Each structure stands twice: as C-alpha cells, then as structure tokens.
Amino acid sequence: MLDPKSELEFFNEENMEEISQLASLEMSGDAAARRKSAAVVPGKSGYPDCVYVMAANIFQGIRIEKPPDKAIIKYGNEPLPSCYQSEDESFQRLSYELAFSALKYQDILETMLIDSYIFPSTTIVNHLGSLIIVMLYDFQDRKFQSRVLSDNEESISEVQEVESLLNSFKTKLAAALARCRIKHDALSIYHILPETVRKQEQRASTLPLYAWINTGKISLEEVYSNLKKKGYNKVKSVLHLEDKAFAVDQHCYDVVIFPAHLKKDLVNIDLFKDYKLIFQDKSRSLAVHSVKALLNMDDDILMVNMGSWYTVAHMSILTNNNTSKIFVCGIQSQDKDPEMKKLFTKMGCQNIEILQETFVSLESKDHRLQNVKVILLLPRCSALGVSNPVEFILNENEDTSLLQDLSQGGPSKSKLEILAQQQYEQLTHAMKFAKAQAIVYCTCSVYAEENENVVMKALESQTQGIKIQPYRLSPPVLPLCSLKDIRLSMDKFFRVEPSDVTNGCFISILTRERDPSETVSVKDVLARAAAKGLLDGVEVGKTGKREKKRKKSKTLLPKAPVNETNDIQVKINEFLNRESKASTNRGEVLTAKTSLPSKTVSQMGASSHVRKTNKQATSPLATTLTKNTRPEERHITLRRTRPEGKTIPLKSVEIVLPPVIFPFSSAQGARSQTPTNHLYYRLGGSKAGYLTSALKKGEKPKETTTSLLRHPRPWL
C-alpha cells in the first residue's frame, strides 16, 4: 500500500487526466441528458456565474443538515445576492438541476472537501459553503477541467473566488474522489446512490414530453396538420416515438406526446409560443378529464392545491362550452396574481375565480360555492412516482423541500405519516360540502399510505346525516385502454405505474349515493347527453319547455270546474249511468256463464269501465287499445249479455295512429325509422259512437268483413 506521501506523488499532473476520467465516470448519467433539453446548454464548459449563485441559494434551502457535533463544513444562513437573470426560466431550470444534483451527492462532495484538506484548513466564509458544493459538483462533472468563459458574461466575485480555490486543489480533489469510489467498490459513484434514485434518473432520461391542446384557440385537426407541415409524423402510440414524431394519448383525446429530445425545437414553434400547445405532466390531464366526465352543463368546480396555473387553464378550456365556473384555492404565491390573470387571458380562459382563503378555512356554506358539484383535490404528496423531480417542482410550483426526500429515495416514515394525515384532513373537509356530488382525489405517489389508505379511512369516518347522502367509491371514469389498465383498476382505483413512458399517478372517484326520493329531471338527462355530444342538432331548450307545459297541464286537469259543459264529460256521465243501470239486470246471466260470483263480476266490470272512462278523459285512444286491462276483464266485457229487447250490432273500428318520428339529423335517417303500417283494428264494443270519437272529425267508421282483430305488432 502507498503511504500518504507516495500516494500524493502518484497523483501528479501527468496522471491527472486519466484519474479524473476514471473518477468522474458516469457520476451523474442524467445531468447531460437534462442539460441537452434545456434552453441554455452549457455542455462541458461550465455554467454562467449567475446559475452558480442561484443554485447555491436553492441548495442552501434544501440541503441535509447534520448534527452540530458532526458538522465540519459550515453553510451559514445568509443567501448570496441574486442577479438580474434570476427571473429567466431557462436559468431557473439549470439552477434547480444543478442544486438537485449536488443534493444527491452531498455526502460524497463533503467527503471530497474534507479528504482534500480544503476543510477545515482553508479560511472560507461560511455563507460560501453552498456555492463550493454546487461548483465542486460541476467541476468534477467537467473532469476537473477549467471553465470556458464568454467575453460578454458578467462575472461575480464570489464565484471567481471559489473557482480559484477549486482549481488550486484539483489534484487532491481527484484523488479523494477516486478513493471514495474504491471504498464503495463501485464502478462509478453514480452506483452509490439509492436504487430508487438511479431508476428515477434512468426513467427521466427517456420520459416523453406530454402537451395538451388548447381547443379554445385551435382544433385538434389543425394541430395535427400544423405539426405534419413542420415535419412531425403522427404514429399510433407512445411506443413508436422516434425522431420527429408525435402520438395522441389513449386516455386523453386532447393530449399529444413527443420524444424527450425534441423539447428544444418544440418550444420555439408557434404552437407553443401562442399557448396552443402547453407542456404538462400527464397526471394533471388525467385529473381534469376525470372531473369533466362527472360534470353537468351548469355545475361549478372547486380546485384545491392548484400549484400549476396550466392545470387550472386546462380545466377552464374543457368547460368552455358549459356555464360552469371554476373556483381555485391553494395558489402558492398571491403576489403573482396579476401575472396569472394575464396568462389566463392569453390562453382564452374566462370562467376562473381565484379564492384568497386556504381550503381548510373555506366554509361548506359559503354562498359562492353553493353550485359547486365536483371538487378536484390534488394534495401535496411524496411524488415518488415522478421521474424528473425538477420538472415537477417547476411546473407545479411545489415546495422545494420535496427535492430533499426525492434525493434520498423517498420520505422517512414519520414524514410519510405527516403527509398522509394532511391528505386525510383535506379529503374529509371536502366531504363536508353538502352541495358537492363528487370528489376527484389525485396524487403522484406510489405509497398506499397516501392513496388507498387515505380514501378508505375517509369513507369509513363519514357521519351518517339525515339530509346528506354519504360518499361511496366509484369506478374510474377514464377509458381503460389495455389489460394492464383493467388489472390495476379492479378495486375501483385508477393507477398508472411509473415507467419509461409516463410518470406514476393515482386517481380515486368518490360520488354521493343517490337519494331514493330524488328524481332525475329531463333537463339533467339532456344536459348530460349534450355534454357528451350525443344530441348534435337537437335543441335542448325546447324539450324543457314541453316538459313544463306537460307538467302544467297535468296539474291543472284535476282542478277543472265541476260545471264545465263539454261533450266529453257529458258522454262519460251518460255512459256511467247506463252501465250502472244495466249491471243490476244482468247479474244472473253473468253467474251462469262464468264461475265467478255475480257480485265480484259486476264489481270487476264496473271497475273496468271506470278505468276506461278515466283514461278517456286524458287520451281517447286508450279505450280501444285496452292495454292495461287484465285478460279476464276483457273476456267478461266481450261476452257480456245484452238487455232483452235490444240488439246492438258489433262494429270494427279503424284507428289511425300518427307515425313515430325520431329526432335524427338527416331526413334519410328519419324515413328509415318511420313505421310502414299505421292501421290497427280492434273490436270496439257496444258503443260505436263513443269509440269513433278517436277518428277525425266528420269521418265515419269503415265497415269491413275482414277479421275483427288485425294487429301488426302483437307484443303491444
């Protein structure tokens, strides 16, 4: 074994290149891939000074703190002064990526600084500790080569100071890195990371890009045509994405998918610049489409914990054709409200109202929320199903402390319990809104503690009220496009497992049990059908008016004056009088011809006639069809004896029913549904004059020698 002196002699300048290449081999396999997709690509020449400063401030807030008695490196509490590029999106993305990479290797980087005697031998201001860590990570990623500076780049004194320090210790730093790799018996220090973190990085390098189409500004077909003109080929599924291609998502009809390496090109085309295509994680699109499937025409929506403005905009675009209003609470920064409203205006969103209150402080009886029927709940979760945490943090405006858990392979047991309790409290609070009829609960977690367990616990803790129906677990409302989808949804939960083509997702649908006394109105049925596009060409409003007229006529009919002199009422009264007199004279005859007692037969006959006359008051056709009369009653009526001395001939009556016309959009469809035969014959009975009232005015019943019963539809 080499002694320390000979070991240092071995790490001379001649062997420096070989050592640095070996030490930094695949230290971070995902760093280069992520930087290629960024708007600013530093390559191996290093980052601008401003990125280092921003990354150091981010790392300062998410670093893992060690006990004071074991902490050799001091980080301080003062952030570095920010630069003017801090608001630039591309600089922010690079800064977060650099800070997250340094966080994953924090232990290794601190060990390198201690083994190389940078700490505690050198006197460095404490607040530069975070800057040293992030610059050391980039230094070893560049194989300890010097950074190339551009002529017009603004330099920052703190960055220049740390860079000079690292360059002076680069031989010792490379040796310390090599020893660390050998100590863990790893091909590269990348393999020292937890397995979950390594798999996460592998998925992030191949994860496709998902973007939803703003149908408020452009149609789906126009987007496809525009992309084809720019050289993008449409393929069948995400599995066939290669080169310049795109596919349509199977679960969400307005979501298109692109290969990951095309992001730099896509952000520069007009479709994305004009907010006609918007990048967003698929899990958020699945959530808003689940809400859309549960809505009626005029239902309002309450969206909770909306970190991403794009999720709110997507929900607004999907409900543009409705009269729905979207209430949003849980926006992280209220200072950006003007910027957010400006974005909504550019995207064509008009039905959004931002609530300043937190969700748990909202009262269920708030007058603004009385028409809210669906609640979309996106609680803060561990997000372990997300492959690229940096993209998730930036797009969803999540708390950066989430990166600390993801850098270690997941949250601790105690923190997972805290998250689950917060999710349970939010879900049970959502159940208190009496007017709401459905809740969509969505997370990006893979833990049952945050998913199934929270939902089932909330369902079990419901209080059985008198007026409020309880919630129940409902099946997914999204299409199940594969056997895998069906298998994962067997217990009524919709799941998407993390993979190379999508992030993980969990969705649960809770709906209120329907009140048995509640009846569904025609308006609600037609509104739901219209929302699903099933009533093209049919005006929904007219149906509601007809329904109101029908209800009005039904309510007014029993209140008609008793002394009203109309022909129908007079005939009914005369008919009842004749029947009551005749029934007293034919009791013996009926007893001889039937096995029933005379009293029973006469009562049945009378009740049968009462039902017929009552139906005559509402519909003249009901008497001849005798649809609701029992067979034995019809038999007795046909064989009823006539009073002596009177001969009443039986006549067949022809009844012409109007053709049945269905509301088809084309005339051809209507003709194909029109019945070809409209003549129905039936034995009319003894009162031909009464029965023929169903015919047109002035017509006489036709005599016929054909069969007395010719019924083309015997099932009626």
Side-chain angles (χ1 to χ4, degrees):
M1 176 181 287
L2 294 175
D3 57 22
K5 183 177 179 180
S6 59
E7 185 177 4
L8 289 176
E9 291 176 353
F10 175 76
F11 292 108
N12 54 24
E13 291 293 337
E14 295 178 359
N15 299 324
M16 189 65 231
E17 180 67 21
E18 181 179 356
I19 294 171
S20 62
Q21 290 180 2
L22 178 64
S24 61
L25 178 63
E26 297 182 359
M27 180 174 181
S28 180
D30 68 318
R34 286 200 299 269
R35 286 203 290 264
K36 286 180 181 178
S37 63
V40 179
V41 182
K44 294 296 181 180
S45 61
Y47 295 91
D49 288 10
C50 186
V51 172
Y52 290 123
V53 172
M54 292 171 61
N57 289 334
I58 296 171
F59 180 82
Q60 178 73 17
I62 63 177
R63 63 182 176 83
I64 300 173
E65 296 185 7
K66 294 184 177 181
D69 57 334
K70 296 182 179 180
I72 300 178
I73 301 178
K74 307 296 182 182
Y75 290 96
N77 297 319
E78 298 179 7
L80 296 173
S82 58
C83 50
Y84 68 94
Q85 295 99 332
S86 59
E87 297 298 326
D88 186 272
E89 183 179 352
S90 61
F91 278 88
Q92 285 184 355
R93 194 173 302 275
L94 290 174
S95 302
Y96 272 96
E97 289 176 351
L98 180 57
F100 183 58
S101 297
L103 179 64
K104 289 185 291 186
Y105 296 98
Q106 179 179 343
D107 287 341
I108 298 174
L109 296 173
E110 288 179 349
T111 301
M112 291 172 58
L113 292 173
I114 295 172
D115 287 354
S116 61
Y117 300 103
I118 293 181
F119 283 99
S121 60
T122 57
T123 57
I124 300 178
V125 184
N126 289 341
H127 73 277
L128 294 181
S130 297
L131 183 61
I132 292 175
I133 290 292
V134 296
M135 292 189 67
L136 175 58
Y137 172 80
D138 179 59
F139 192 34
Q140 65 78 34
D141 192 42
R142 288 185 280 114
K143 302 177 182 179
F144 299 99
Q145 300 300 311
S146 299
R147 182 168 60 117
V148 178
L149 300 175
S150 59
D151 297 335
N152 57 353
E153 182 180 341
E154 181 182 357
S155 61
I156 300 176
S157 59
E158 290 86 352
V159 175
Q160 301 298 322
E161 179 184 353
V162 172
E163 187 171 25
S164 300
L165 176 66
L166 295 178
N167 280 325
S168 63
F169 278 83
K170 66 179 180 180
T171 303
K172 295 180 179 180
L173 288 171
L177 180 58
R179 286 194 297 269
C180 183
R181 183 184 60 80
I182 295 172
K183 176 183 177 181
H184 290 86
D185 193 21
L187 179 63
S188 69
I189 62 172
Y190 166 75
H191 293 87
I192 302 175
L193 294 175
E195 184 179 0
T196 54
V197 178
R198 296 201 306 270
K199 289 183 177 180
Q200 192 179 63
E201 291 186 358
Q202 292 172 1
R203 293 196 306 266
S205 62
T206 60
L207 189 69
L209 304 171
Y210 288 83
W212 56 271
I213 300 173
N214 185 351
T215 53
K217 303 187 72 171
I218 192 171
S219 67
L220 304 179
E221 294 300 329
E222 287 175 333
V223 171
Y224 304 153
S225 176
N226 196 314
L227 290 173
K228 289 178 180 178
K229 290 179 181 179
K230 296 183 181 299
Y232 294 88
N233 299 319
K234 185 178 180 181
V235 296
K236 293 183 178 180
S237 71
V238 65
L239 300 177
H240 299 87
L241 288 178
E242 293 180 0
D243 299 329
K244 294 186 69 173
F246 71 95
V248 179
D249 186 69
Q250 294 180 326
H251 298 101
C252 306
Y253 65 88
D254 61 344
V255 173
V256 290
I257 316 169
F258 300 93
H261 66 273
L262 294 178
K263 186 170 185 179
K264 182 182 177 181
D265 298 330
L266 291 171
V267 294
N268 293 320
I269 66 176
D270 294 337
L271 289 175
F272 285 92
K273 289 181 177 179
D274 298 337
Y275 297 103
K276 297 176 180 178
L277 273 175
I278 296 92
F279 286 120
Q280 194 166 28
D281 186 68
K282 179 182 174 179
S283 63
R284 296 321 190 218
S285 297
L286 292 172
V288 297
H289 273 275
S290 297
V291 173
K292 178 64 167 62
L294 297 167
L295 286 178
N296 287 324
M297 290 290 288
D298 55 350
D299 292 346
D300 290 347
I301 308 161
L302 176 60
M303 304 181 71
V304 183
N305 294 340
M306 290 300 106
S308 173
W309 301 343
Y310 292 143
T311 305
V312 180
H314 196 182
M315 188 77 262
S316 174
I317 295 300
L318 288 178
T319 57
N320 263 354
N321 295 329
N322 300 3
T323 58
S324 301
K325 196 169 186 178
I326 301 173
F327 296 94
V328 183
C329 64
I331 297 294
Q332 297 293 336
S333 178
Q334 298 180 1
D335 298 336
K336 295 186 177 181
D337 279 357
E339 182 182 349
M340 177 174 52
K341 292 178 181 178
K342 184 178 180 180
L343 175 65
F344 289 155
T345 302
K346 289 182 179 179
M347 299 182 70
C349 306
Q350 301 176 352
N351 55 344
I352 301 173
E353 181 174 338
I354 307 298
L355 303 178
Q356 302 300 329
E357 301 92 336
T358 61
F359 177 59
V360 293
S361 65
L362 284 175
E363 295 291 338
S364 59
K365 296 182 180 180
D366 193 317
H367 68 279
R368 298 169 297 179
L369 309 177
Q370 292 308 298
N371 196 40
V372 169
K373 295 298 187 293
V374 183
I375 300 176
L376 174 57
L377 186 59
L378 295 171
R380 184 170 178 266
C381 62
S382 61
L384 197 59
V386 177
S387 299
N388 194 331
V390 171
E391 290 286 343
F392 183 76
I393 293 293
L394 293 176
N395 294 336
E396 301 301 322
N397 292 326
E398 286 285 348
D399 189 357
T400 55
S401 62
L402 184 65
L403 294 175
Q404 188 179 98
D405 298 329
L406 296 176
S407 68
Q408 305 301 310
S412 62
K413 184 178 180 180
S414 59
K415 190 166 186 179
L416 189 61
E417 292 175 353
I418 295 175
L419 289 173
Q421 181 62 27
Q422 293 174 353
Q423 295 153 1
Y424 168 76
E425 292 174 356
Q426 289 187 347
L427 183 54
T428 53
H429 185 67
M431 291 179 172
K432 296 178 182 178
F433 288 80
K435 299 293 185 180
Q437 298 299 312
I439 299 174
V440 178
Y441 178 85
C442 177
T443 75
C444 295
S445 175
V446 297
Y447 294 113
E449 291 85 345
E450 298 181 276
N451 298 337
E452 301 95 320
N453 295 359
V454 170
V455 174
M456 299 309 296
K457 182 180 177 181
L459 289 174
E460 293 171 358
S461 65
Q462 293 184 93
T463 55
Q464 299 293 334
I466 300 176
K467 297 182 179 180
I468 302 178
Q469 292 297 111
Y471 278 97
R472 64 178 179 179
L473 187 62
S474 296
V477 293
L478 295 169
L480 304 179
C481 305
S482 65
L483 293 176
K484 185 177 181 181
D485 287 349
I486 297 174
R487 176 178 58 83
L488 293 174
S489 304
M490 292 296 290
D491 53 357
K492 295 186 179 181
F493 296 114
F494 184 87
R495 297 182 182 87
V496 177
E497 293 181 336
S499 65
D500 293 339
V501 296
T502 183
N503 286 327
C505 178
F506 172 87
I507 296 179
S508 176
I509 306 295
L510 304 180
T511 57
R512 286 198 188 277
E513 296 181 3
R514 186 171 297 279
D515 190 346
S517 62
E518 181 183 354
T519 58
V520 181
S521 66
V522 177
K523 180 182 177 182
D524 291 339
V525 175
L526 292 176
R528 188 180 293 274
K532 295 181 179 180
L534 301 177
L535 297 180
D536 293 340
V538 179
E539 297 183 12
V540 180
K542 292 184 178 179
T543 306
K545 293 180 181 178
R546 288 198 298 270
E547 183 185 3
K548 290 181 180 179
K549 277 187 178 180
R550 187 159 54 252
K551 289 182 179 179
K552 185 176 181 181
S553 63
K554 287 183 180 179
T555 55
L556 293 178
L557 184 59
K559 298 180 180 180
V562 180
N563 58 354
E564 182 179 2
T565 57
N566 55 69
D567 295 339
I568 296 177
Q569 188 64 38
V570 171
K571 291 180 180 180
I572 291 174
N573 294 334
E574 292 177 357
F575 178 76
L576 290 175
N577 292 332
R578 287 196 301 268
E579 289 299 317
S580 62
K581 292 178 181 179
S583 62
T584 59
N585 298 327
R586 60 175 177 263
E588 296 180 359
V589 179
L590 289 173
T591 305
K593 293 190 176 183
T594 63
S595 60
L596 298 173
S598 60
K599 183 178 180 180
T600 306
V601 173
S602 63
Q603 288 177 352
M604 291 174 61
S607 63
S608 175
H609 288 298
V610 170
R611 282 196 298 271
K612 291 180 181 180
T613 53
N614 288 340
K615 291 179 183 179
Q616 172 65 19
T618 57
S619 176
L621 301 179
T623 307
T624 60
L625 295 177
T626 63
K627 189 173 182 179
N628 296 325
T629 308
R630 291 194 295 271
E632 61 268 19
E633 295 180 15
R634 292 200 298 268
H635 180 71
I636 294 172
T637 304
L638 292 176
R639 299 189 59 177
R640 188 176 56 203
T641 59
R642 298 185 299 274
E644 294 183 2
K646 292 185 179 181
T647 302
I648 301 176
L650 298 178
K651 295 182 179 181
S652 60
V653 179
E654 178 182 355
I655 298 176
V656 181
L657 297 178
V660 180
I661 304 294
F662 293 98
F664 285 87
S665 58
S666 63
Q668 183 179 359
R671 288 196 301 270
S672 64
Q673 297 295 326
T674 305
T676 57
N677 193 351
H678 312 304
L679 302 180
Y680 303 95
Y681 297 90
R682 195 171 187 85
L683 187 62
S686 59
K687 300 295 180 286
Y690 173 69
L691 294 174
T692 55
S693 63
L695 297 174
K696 294 182 179 179
K697 187 175 181 181
E699 279 188 333
K700 296 181 179 180
K702 297 181 180 179
E703 300 288 343
T704 179
T705 59
T706 60
S707 173
L708 293 179
L709 181 62
R710 192 181 75 184
H711 207 300
R713 298 191 291 176
W715 56 86
L716 293 178

